[in-house]
Amino acid sequence: MRIESINIIAFGKLKNCKTEFSDGFNVVLGDNEDGKTTIMEFIKMMFYGSKSRVSGISGNPRKKYLPWDGSPMAGSIEFSHNNKRYRIEREFGASNATDRIMLFDVDLGTYENFTGNREIGKEFFGISCAAFEKSAFIGNDIKPADNSEADGEINSKLSNITSSGDEDFSYEKILKRITDAKEDIISKSGKKGLYPTHKSQLEELEEQQTACVALNRRRDEISENIAALEGQALQLSKQKSDIFESIKDVERAEQRSRLIEFIKAAEEYELTEKALELNDQSIADRDFLETLNTKIKTVKELDLTETNRKADIKLLADDIIALEKEQSVDGNRDYLEKQKNDVYEKLREKNQKLAQIEATCAILNSKLENSKPRARLIFLIMGAAISLIAICGAIMANKPILLSGVVLGIILVISAFIFKSKPKTDSLDEQLSSAISQKQKILQDIEQLRLELLEKEGLLNRREVQASTAKELLAAKNTDMVKRRAALLEIQNKKADLLTDLIKFTSKFTAVSDISSAEQTAAHIAELLQKLENDRIRAQFAVKGTGCKSISEAKEKLSYIKNVDDKPMLNRDILNNKLRDATDRYNEVIKEITALKAELSTAFNTIRTPQEFDRDRNELIEKLADEKDFYECAEIAEKALGEAFSDIRKGFGSAIEQRALELFSKITNNRYNRVSISKNFDIAVSGNDTLSSRDIEYLSRGTHDQAYFALRLALSELLALDCGGLPVLLDDVFAQYDDTRTCEGIKFLEEYSRANQIIFFTCHGEIARIAGKQSVKIINIKQ
Amino acid sequence: MDRKITFLHTADIHLGCELKTSGPRASERRAEILLCLKNIFSLCNIHDVQIMLISGDLFENNSVSEDIVDSFLDYVKSAPKTRVFYAAGNHDPLTADSPLLDHSLPDNLYILGTKDECIPLDDIGVKVFGRSFSGASMKGSNTFSIPSENDGFLKLMVIHGDFGTDISGPYNTITREFIETSGMDYIALGHVHKYSGVNKIGNTYFAYPGCPEPHGFDETGNKGVIIGSFCDNVLSHEFVHTSIRTYRDEKIDISEAVTSDGAAKIIVGSLKERFGEMFNKNLYKLTLIGRLPEGVKIKISQIERMLSEQLYFAKIKDRTEVEIDLDILKNENTLKGKFVKIMLKKQENTNDESERNKLRCAMFLGLKAFSSEVKYNED
């Protein structure tokens, strides 16, 4: 590409300024403020416009180069490219989008309207404005201000250019930015960064959510249990109420019963009291009854006394009659005397018989004694003695029982005879026994007669005593009889008086005629009084707990109490037991409910619903997705950047190095024959006089500038390779050079301009003079 | 039914929710949700609403503070002519720890039990049916167990559930069959936070009103309640906006910006244009898009700081691209040119749209690294 000419209609201070350029070396000479930089900026802006939107004037060429007369910035530029000539006419607006651009094909006479943000420079030359600025557009602003900074900046830019083809972009820096961005999301260790943090938060949240689900389930279970228990409690409460109501019914029934009983008892009391009313309106009370009974008793006692007295008198009269009769009958005494004598006679006869028998016995005994041992004799004597004693005793003591001793004596006697010593005594024994037997009978008869005699004698004696006594008695009794009859009369009179009083007293209650009816009345009163007392006690008992004091009050209360008599009633104890059971169960259920509710209010008071976590969770998931996307994008970019870097390094890096060496050697008049750009883009150079390379940092500032200049030109060539080379615009790049270097530089440019158009802007006339010796077009813009 | 019955349908208020995503504004937002509810009760008085139907999730959970419950009960009392029917949802199930159970309830508040229930209002000829959630989850059914009778009553149902087909779902699935066989005139649903519009299956109208006050950026747009009237069996209704603030997820093109300040101005201008003078009341999730010229460096943190003075709440995502002519750049024999060329090639070689987008993002991320630090700036 070659710039043919420019026509500045209005741009900064320049107006209607036309300049033509040669294909080779052009030197634009002008003093400071003559517009050299303005022309350079005009050329650049004709191709690229300006995207700067900064408000300050220095950073925004659209403001900086605003024509002083206020007219719009405008102009045209003609250039050849790929053997074709073009003209750009441009009127600058506020931005690239509003610039009016016309591209003319000068050879064909056609034009194209460029609109929007299209950059003609980029479309024609294939390089961006930035690349253009930093390669072919070499201003003096890039020169270092001092050595130390210059070295660093040159190194830096050189590295950038060799690594990225752009001195502003360092591959490593760009890579680091991407890596840093990646590591903001996930660190190399994978443990730090936004993603692991948020992932950890998400996991924590999900754990909380899971725990929350379990807690909610537990809460629901507890709630269900509470609901079930509350149902039970309700049932039990109803049961309790029912039982309580039943107890109340029982109480009501009891109360009713008491009131009814009270009313009945009270009414009966009143009736009884009425029945006890006396003629003087007073009541026949216990005192009345007692008086009555006393009176009756007194009358009755007198009556009894009278009866007794009468009986005594009768007995006395009988006694008198008997005594009188006894005195009148003496035949009995003679009869008794005769009887006594008869007995006496019989007794005498018997005694005689006994003597005979005893003689017989004595004979037999003597015979037997001779034949029997001595013992028999003893038996015999003993028997006789005993019998005799017995008989005497019986007679003396007048006790027949003693006669049993006779029997014993006889037995002994018999034994004496039974006792055999020899068979020859048997006959004697028999005889003796018979004699004894007879004797015994006689003795019995004697005893009987003797007793009879004694009796007759006693009777006779008593009869005589009686007769005497009766006589005396009769007299006494007759006297007594008189006395008694007088006393009886007195009693009868007194009794009549008392009976009259009794009848009068009883008639206060009811009329009576005799003591019997008075007694009946007293019994009736007593019965009524007992009934009255019973009614009183009944009423008192019944009224307990009712709080009533009168029948009317009781009746009123009764009317308020529901009659539940028709309801089946259970036993109150059973009901109380049932109520106790139900209450206990109810209390247990309530206790359980309370415990569960306490658990609900404490264990779940900060519980969240699982859904509450969703929003936080979704937000974290969204963040994680974004972070993952970003990380993956950074990874992709990182990888692609690596690939691009390899490409650049492969082709561009070595080409730059080679071309930079060629140009650097030429600029320095072959003082340096080797330039190496390390992997780290450090530049080392070596000259003809030495074999060793020296780092560019050790060289002078002029050499730095030369190296940098060579590199910029090499870059310009390489960047514009596809478009056949770019015009190189230089803004006083030799300002810091000494004369030798300036000469060498100009010489180099002259040579270089044979292949590439050079537009060299300078304010130094000397440079123009040196250049003028060569085939250089000098364009003087000095005003 | 010749009388006019006016009802208000709301749901999913979530009093006491944490609102973590609202950051430092969470506390204020919680207060505003309560204020929104107060405003809804004011609407009842303004519109002579006879019946208010709250279809669950009134509270965020059963552990809400006493003052929230007391406030709600005060609001109910403030609209004595409105009978308020409440069916608890999965967030605030009618369990033993339900916040309302320990309080003395106003006469005009009716809470549906956990079994199917019908509350007749003989004086106005209305029957309100429904049931509350008995736990954090509850299985649905294809039919409502209390049959509807042809008795001339207006039949409304209030219930929290998920409209769908799978009745084994955990959130009381409301099926088409359920609605069709319910015999209701209107079913007030809750659970879905977005207004569904009023729909009809068979003779039954049904709707989700959505939440009256939004809780996060997943609930963008205007929120409100349904106010409806039945007159001669004909339903007329309107969706009344109630939200004090709205959440907005907006994309803003800041291509024209050259500084962070400029970008903030563009954002504010754009939001003002979209949402009018009250734009600054909203909560925004802003995605910055557009193409920024190389060298223009915009810092999200600076934009956020500038916006914080003008917007109630904003979180920003930077998705801007570098303004660059890729076709020209790809031909540059530079690192950048090569990089772009490689990335464009990769994009050409894939048929996957999302992969292509990712590669494009990666390319611009790489290009950004040429001029400045690359920061992941999701706040």
Side-chain angles (χ1 to χ4, degrees):
Chain A
M1 195 273 271
R2 300 284 183 273
I3 296 171
E4 303 284 340
S5 64
I6 58 170
N7 178 16
I8 301 172
I9 298 170
F11 196 84
K13 63 185 288 187
L14 300 178
K15 203 165 172 74
N16 298 320
C17 174
K18 292 182 180 176
T19 304
E20 290 185 351
F21 299 102
S22 71
D23 286 350
F25 193 179
N26 299 275
V27 173
V28 180
L29 178 65
D31 291 337
N32 290 335
E33 299 299 326
D34 278 346
K36 300 186 297 298
T37 309
T38 303
I39 292 170
M40 280 184 76
E41 199 64 35
F42 174 80
I43 292 168
K44 186 183 82 179
M45 283 183 69
M46 287 303 286
F47 286 112
Y48 290 98
S50 171
K51 291 177 182 174
S52 174
R53 287 174 185 158
V54 295
S55 53
I57 292 170
S58 62
N60 190 338
R62 287 181 190 274
K63 291 182 179 174
K64 185 175 180 180
Y65 296 107
L66 205 62
W68 292 6
D69 62 357
S71 57
M73 292 190 295
S76 63
I77 186 167
E78 277 193 15
F79 63 97
S80 58
H81 178 63
N82 292 341
N83 299 319
K84 284 180 119 182
R85 288 200 305 148
Y86 298 94
R87 185 172 75 248
I88 299 169
E89 292 180 2
R90 188 162 193 152
E91 187 177 309
F92 294 90
S95 66
N96 283 357
T98 54
D99 286 353
R100 291 197 304 170
I101 307 165
M102 299 294 286
L103 176 69
F104 288 91
D105 186 324
V106 177
D107 297 330
L108 295 174
T110 57
Y111 66 90
E112 186 181 350
N113 192 1
F114 266 64
T115 57
N117 290 310
R118 291 172 65 183
E119 290 179 341
I120 295 172
K122 212 163 198 178
E123 291 187 21
F124 272 92
F125 318 135
I127 61 170
S128 66
C129 178
F132 178 77
E133 279 179 333
K134 302 305 176 189
S135 55
F137 196 81
I138 306 170
N140 58 7
D141 56 326
I142 60 166
K143 288 182 181 176
D146 57 64
N147 282 341
S148 59
E149 285 185 15
D151 292 347
E153 188 174 330
I154 287 170
N155 276 339
S156 167
K157 291 184 176 179
L158 200 56
S159 295
N160 291 350
I161 289 165
T162 52
S163 68
S164 67
D166 193 326
E167 67 182 18
D168 286 339
F169 302 138
S170 155
Y171 164 73
E172 286 203 331
K173 197 171 177 181
I174 296 163
L175 186 67
K176 187 172 185 307
R177 283 170 178 169
I178 294 173
T179 308
D180 286 350
K182 254 177 69 184
E183 290 187 3
D184 280 350
I185 306 299
I186 304 174
S187 69
K188 277 181 187 169
S189 67
K191 290 176 183 170
K192 290 181 182 173
L194 288 172
Y195 190 84
T197 305
H198 288 145
K199 185 140 197 199
S200 159
Q201 284 175 2
L202 181 65
E203 284 165 3
E204 198 178 321
L205 203 66
E206 285 173 343
E207 275 174 23
Q208 286 174 9
Q209 194 172 21
T210 307
C212 183
V213 168
L215 265 179
N216 271 279
R217 199 175 297 126
R218 171 67 187 146
R219 188 195 64 177
D220 289 353
E221 278 172 15
I222 290 176
S223 296
E224 281 168 17
N225 287 344
I226 289 173
L229 286 170
E230 281 178 341
Q232 278 183 36
L234 199 67
Q235 270 189 338
L236 286 168
S237 177
K238 190 177 175 303
Q239 203 175 326
K240 270 172 61 184
S241 297
D242 290 348
I243 297 168
F244 192 72
E245 192 55 34
S246 297
I247 290 172
K248 283 277 170 203
D249 282 347
V250 171
E251 282 176 356
R252 273 192 285 269
E254 285 174 358
Q255 180 83 336
R256 268 183 67 80
S257 173
R258 275 199 296 274
L259 286 170
I260 289 167
E261 177 63 18
F262 168 68
I263 292 165
K264 193 176 165 189
E267 282 175 349
E268 283 183 16
Y269 181 88
E270 281 181 359
L271 283 173
T272 308
E273 201 174 47
K274 186 81 182 167
L276 283 167
E277 201 173 276
L278 301 173
N279 346 352
D280 61 357
Q281 307 297 317
S282 63
I283 299 296
D285 55 10
R286 288 270 166 206
D287 291 342
F288 179 84
L289 180 62
E290 196 178 340
T291 307
L292 179 59
N293 281 333
T294 307
K295 285 180 188 294
I296 289 169
K297 189 182 171 189
T298 309
V299 171
K300 280 184 82 175
E301 279 171 0
L302 281 174
D303 191 44
L304 183 60
T305 306
E306 184 190 10
T307 304
N308 290 339
R309 293 290 169 84
K310 278 181 178 173
D312 288 347
I313 288 170
K314 188 173 177 301
L315 286 172
L316 192 58
D318 288 347
D319 286 348
I320 290 169
I321 292 166
L323 285 170
E324 283 172 351
K325 192 177 175 182
E326 195 174 331
Q327 269 190 323
S328 63
V329 183
D330 280 339
N332 284 344
R333 187 175 173 278
D334 295 338
Y335 176 71
L336 286 172
E337 191 68 30
K338 187 182 178 290
Q339 279 185 337
K340 180 188 163 188
N341 291 334
D342 288 347
V343 171
Y344 184 78
E345 187 59 32
K346 283 178 185 176
L347 186 60
R348 197 180 55 81
E349 285 174 1
K350 288 293 177 180
N351 280 332
Q352 284 174 350
K353 280 185 180 178
L354 182 61
Q356 290 171 351
I357 291 295
E358 278 176 350
T360 306
C361 287
I363 296 162
L364 289 169
N365 276 334
S366 116
K367 289 177 181 176
L368 198 56
E369 275 299 318
N370 296 329
S371 60
K372 284 187 181 180
R374 202 168 190 89
R376 184 180 288 179
L377 183 61
I378 295 167
F379 272 103
L380 192 59
I381 295 165
M382 280 178 67
I386 290 169
S387 297
L388 191 62
I389 294 165
I391 291 165
C392 291
I395 293 167
M396 294 302 283
N398 199 22
K399 286 189 179 170
I401 192 73
L402 294 175
L403 291 175
S404 57
V406 177
V407 178
L408 180 62
I410 292 165
I411 291 165
L412 288 170
V413 172
I414 292 164
S415 299
F417 286 101
I418 290 168
F419 196 78
K420 294 174 181 177
S421 58
K422 294 178 184 176
K424 291 179 182 174
T425 60
D426 288 350
S427 170
L428 288 174
D429 282 343
E430 283 175 6
Q431 285 176 8
L432 186 62
S433 292
S434 174
I436 292 168
S437 178
Q438 283 177 7
K439 185 184 173 184
Q440 188 66 38
K441 191 169 177 316
I442 289 164
L443 282 171
Q444 282 176 353
D445 289 345
I446 290 167
E447 179 59 26
Q448 195 174 349
L449 287 169
R450 195 188 60 79
L451 289 173
E452 196 175 340
L453 182 64
L454 285 172
E455 187 188 354
K456 296 297 179 188
E457 283 174 351
L459 279 172
L460 190 57
N461 290 335
R462 280 198 300 274
R463 178 73 190 97
E464 283 175 355
V465 171
Q466 278 177 357
S468 168
T469 308
K471 194 173 179 182
E472 290 171 5
L473 197 62
L474 186 59
K477 284 193 189 266
N478 282 328
T479 307
D480 190 28
M481 179 65 89
V482 172
K483 282 181 186 173
R484 283 181 188 248
R485 280 184 175 159
L488 177 62
L489 187 60
E490 193 181 342
I491 287 166
Q492 283 174 334
N493 290 337
K494 192 177 177 184
K495 179 188 156 190
D497 291 345
L498 287 172
L499 186 62
T500 306
D501 178 51
L502 173 66
I503 288 166
K504 188 183 173 189
F505 185 76
T506 311
S507 298
K508 281 187 184 176
F509 181 73
T510 183
V512 292
S513 56
D514 53 21
I515 190 161
S516 170
S517 55
E519 273 186 321
Q520 284 175 5
T521 301
H524 181 54
I525 290 171
E527 193 183 330
L528 287 175
L529 283 173
Q530 185 58 50
K531 186 167 183 310
L532 194 68
E533 181 63 13
N534 290 345
D535 289 345
R536 188 182 63 78
I537 292 167
R538 264 177 63 203
Q540 275 183 348
F541 182 74
V543 84
K544 266 184 190 172
T546 63
C548 295
K549 288 178 179 171
S550 65
I551 294 173
S552 59
E553 199 180 341
K555 282 184 174 173
E556 191 185 349
K557 276 199 172 179
L558 187 64
S559 69
Y560 297 145
I561 299 172
K562 189 178 152 191
N563 188 355
V564 288
D565 291 346
D566 54 339
K567 277 180 136 181
M569 295 282 175
L570 281 172
N571 179 288
R572 191 169 176 159
D573 288 340
I574 294 172
L575 286 172
N576 279 333
N577 286 339
K578 280 189 169 186
L579 183 62
R580 201 176 304 115
D581 287 349
T583 306
D584 288 348
R585 276 159 54 209
Y586 177 80
N587 289 341
E588 278 171 20
V589 170
I590 292 296
K591 196 174 163 189
E592 211 171 329
I593 289 171
T594 309
L596 287 172
K597 280 190 173 174
E599 189 181 346
L600 264 187
S601 65
T602 53
F604 305 98
N605 58 356
T606 55
I607 189 175
R608 298 172 75 195
T609 54
Q611 295 74 32
E612 283 180 73
F613 291 92
D614 285 346
R615 183 168 288 118
D616 297 347
R617 194 169 156 269
N618 290 341
E619 184 151 315
L620 276 174
I621 288 170
E622 196 182 328
K623 272 185 181 175
L624 284 168
D626 281 351
E627 286 159 7
K628 188 165 174 268
D629 270 356
F630 183 86
Y631 184 84
E632 286 172 358
C633 286
E635 242 180 356
I636 292 167
E638 188 182 43
K639 195 177 168 191
L641 191 72
E643 289 172 25
F645 177 66
S646 294
D647 275 4
I648 288 288
R649 288 291 298 169
K650 220 179 280 174
F652 198 65
S654 58
I656 283 176
E657 195 174 76
Q658 182 59 38
R659 184 60 183 152
L661 172 63
E662 288 170 12
L663 295 173
F664 188 55
S665 295
K666 283 182 181 174
I667 292 170
T668 58
N669 199 17
N670 295 321
R671 273 201 300 278
Y672 299 96
N673 55 12
R674 200 167 67 216
V675 170
S676 64
I677 302 171
S678 74
K679 193 177 177 184
N680 296 325
F681 314 112
D682 296 325
I683 297 176
V685 295
S686 59
N688 293 326
D689 53 345
T690 175
L691 290 173
S692 60
S693 292
R694 300 196 73 183
D695 196 290
I696 199 163
E697 286 184 19
Y698 295 102
L699 302 180
S700 68
R701 198 174 76 181
T703 309
H704 271 130
D705 286 359
Q706 284 175 319
Y708 179 67
F709 182 56
L711 186 59
R712 293 287 294 267
L713 288 176
L715 272 172
S716 175
E717 285 177 21
L718 288 169
L719 288 173
L721 206 59
D722 296 337
C723 64
L726 285 173
V728 179
L729 281 75
L730 303 169
D731 188 5
D732 246 349
V733 291
F734 299 152
Q736 300 299 322
Y737 287 15
D738 57 26
D739 289 345
T740 309
R741 284 181 194 239
T742 303
C743 287
E744 285 172 356
I746 289 171
K747 189 180 173 189
F748 165 77
L749 288 178
E750 195 277 329
E751 189 181 334
Y752 188 77
S753 67
R754 288 174 198 157
N756 297 282
Q757 186 184 31
I758 301 284
I759 303 175
F760 190 103
F761 294 86
T762 183
C763 60
H764 299 288
E766 182 60 17
I767 290 174
R769 190 187 61 77
I770 297 167
K773 293 176 183 173
Q774 316 294 329
S775 54
V776 176
K777 181 173 182 179
I778 305 293
I779 302 165
N780 193 338
I781 60 166
K782 282 187 178 177
Q783 295 175 356
Chain B
M1 185 170 55
D2 53 355
R3 295 174 66 186
K4 183 182 176 187
I5 300 294
T6 304
F7 68 88
L8 185 148
H9 174 197
T10 185
D12 299 290
I13 300 154
H14 292 267
L15 296 172
C17 60
E18 286 196 13
L19 298 171
K20 276 184 180 173
T21 52
S22 299
R25 299 288 192 183
S27 173
E28 281 174 41
R29 289 293 299 141
R30 280 195 289 275
E32 284 173 352
I33 291 174
L34 205 55
L35 179 61
C36 171
L37 182 62
K38 187 180 180 184
N39 294 342
I40 291 170
F41 277 93
S42 299
L43 281 176
C44 289
N45 290 329
I46 294 165
H47 291 268
D48 292 327
V49 170
Q50 292 147 288
I51 293 171
M52 182 174 181
L53 304 166
I54 306 176
S55 313
D57 288 358
L58 170 64
F59 302 109
E60 178 68 353
N61 52 49
N62 280 351
S63 311
V64 292
S65 61
E66 283 289 309
D67 57 323
I68 287 176
V69 182
D70 290 342
S71 297
F72 167 68
L73 295 176
D74 285 346
Y75 301 158
V76 174
K77 287 174 197 164
S78 73
K81 290 180 182 171
T82 303
R83 279 175 259 206
V84 181
F85 291 85
Y86 176 57
N90 57 306
H91 273 259
D92 52 357
L94 200 63
T95 50
D97 60 342
S98 174
L100 289 174
L101 293 184
D102 290 337
H103 288 73
S104 171
L105 301 181
D107 293 339
N108 58 329
L109 176 62
Y110 304 79
I111 299 175
L112 279 298
T114 54
K115 307 286 180 199
D116 291 352
E117 194 175 353
C118 170
I119 301 172
L121 305 172
D122 296 332
D123 57 329
I124 55 172
V126 176
K127 282 182 177 177
V128 179
F129 297 74
R131 64 169 175 256
S132 283
F133 260 63
S134 57
S137 61
M138 189 169 85
K139 288 208 166 30
S141 57
N142 275 324
T143 53
F144 194 74
S145 65
I146 301 174
S148 162
E149 293 167 11
N150 191 14
D151 50 14
F153 275 75
L154 175 71
K155 295 174 188 69
L156 305 175
M157 183 184 284
V158 56
I159 195 163
H160 191 82
D162 201 4
F163 183 69
T165 54
D166 179 13
I167 60 166
S168 64
Y171 301 119
N172 187 31
T173 306
I174 306 291
T175 61
R176 291 180 67 84
E177 186 185 343
F178 180 92
I179 293 170
E180 199 163 13
T181 59
S182 66
M184 296 294 122
D185 292 295
Y186 181 86
I187 298 180
L189 296 171
H191 189 61
V192 175
H193 287 205
K194 189 177 180 184
Y195 174 50
S196 64
V198 176
N199 304 290
K200 195 174 187 183
I201 296 177
N203 293 321
T204 304
Y205 291 99
F206 66 100
Y208 285 103
C211 50
E213 184 71 31
H215 309 98
F217 287 104
D218 50 346
E219 292 167 9
T220 54
N222 289 323
K223 300 289 174 184
V225 298
I226 298 169
I227 296 181
S229 292
F230 271 99
C231 192
D232 297 331
N233 280 326
V234 177
L235 172 67
S236 56
H237 64 88
E238 62 175 324
F239 184 70
V240 180
H241 292 173
T242 55
S243 57
I244 291 163
R245 300 184 193 280
T246 55
Y247 285 79
R248 303 283 178 184
D249 190 349
E250 299 294 322
K251 286 183 178 172
I252 310 276
D253 189 336
I254 56 163
S255 296
E256 296 300 315
V258 292
T259 61
S260 299
D261 186 42
K265 281 178 184 164
I266 290 171
I267 291 167
V268 168
S270 175
L271 293 176
K272 195 171 182 179
E273 192 181 320
R274 293 180 202 185
F275 304 112
E277 288 302 321
M278 304 299 278
F279 74 99
N280 54 356
K281 288 185 75 180
N282 299 333
L283 293 96
Y284 293 102
K285 186 185 209 176
L286 301 172
T287 305
L288 304 183
I289 57 168
R291 304 180 77 180
L292 295 170
E294 278 186 291
V296 172
K297 291 174 184 172
I298 287 181
K299 292 201 169 180
I300 297 301
S301 57
Q302 285 180 5
I303 295 175
E304 280 174 345
R305 187 169 48 75
M306 289 162 188
L307 290 181
S308 68
E309 292 169 6
Q310 298 186 64
L311 300 179
Y312 179 75
F313 179 88
K315 54 199 292 188
I316 300 173
K317 207 185 261 189
D318 183 11
R319 293 291 179 267
T320 54
E321 297 176 349
V322 180
E323 185 185 34
I324 205 156
D325 191 326
L326 298 172
D327 287 336
I328 294 171
L329 189 59
K330 73 180 179 185
N331 293 321
E332 271 188 17
N333 196 20
T334 62
L335 185 64
K336 194 190 265 184
K338 294 278 182 190
F339 171 75
V340 168
K341 193 172 182 177
I342 290 166
M343 290 306 297
L344 289 174
K345 185 82 178 165
K346 284 180 189 283
Q347 290 171 55
E348 281 170 18
N349 289 343
T350 182
N351 293 321
D352 184 344
E353 182 67 23
S354 65
E355 178 66 16
R356 191 176 299 122
N357 285 338
K358 183 176 277 186
L359 288 166
R360 184 174 172 81
C361 283
M363 180 175 72
F364 280 104
L365 185 149
L367 283 173
K368 198 166 191 176
F370 276 84
S371 57
S372 64
E373 296 292 331
V374 181
K375 290 285 173 196
Y376 176 76
N377 48 35
E378 175 72 43
D379 63 354

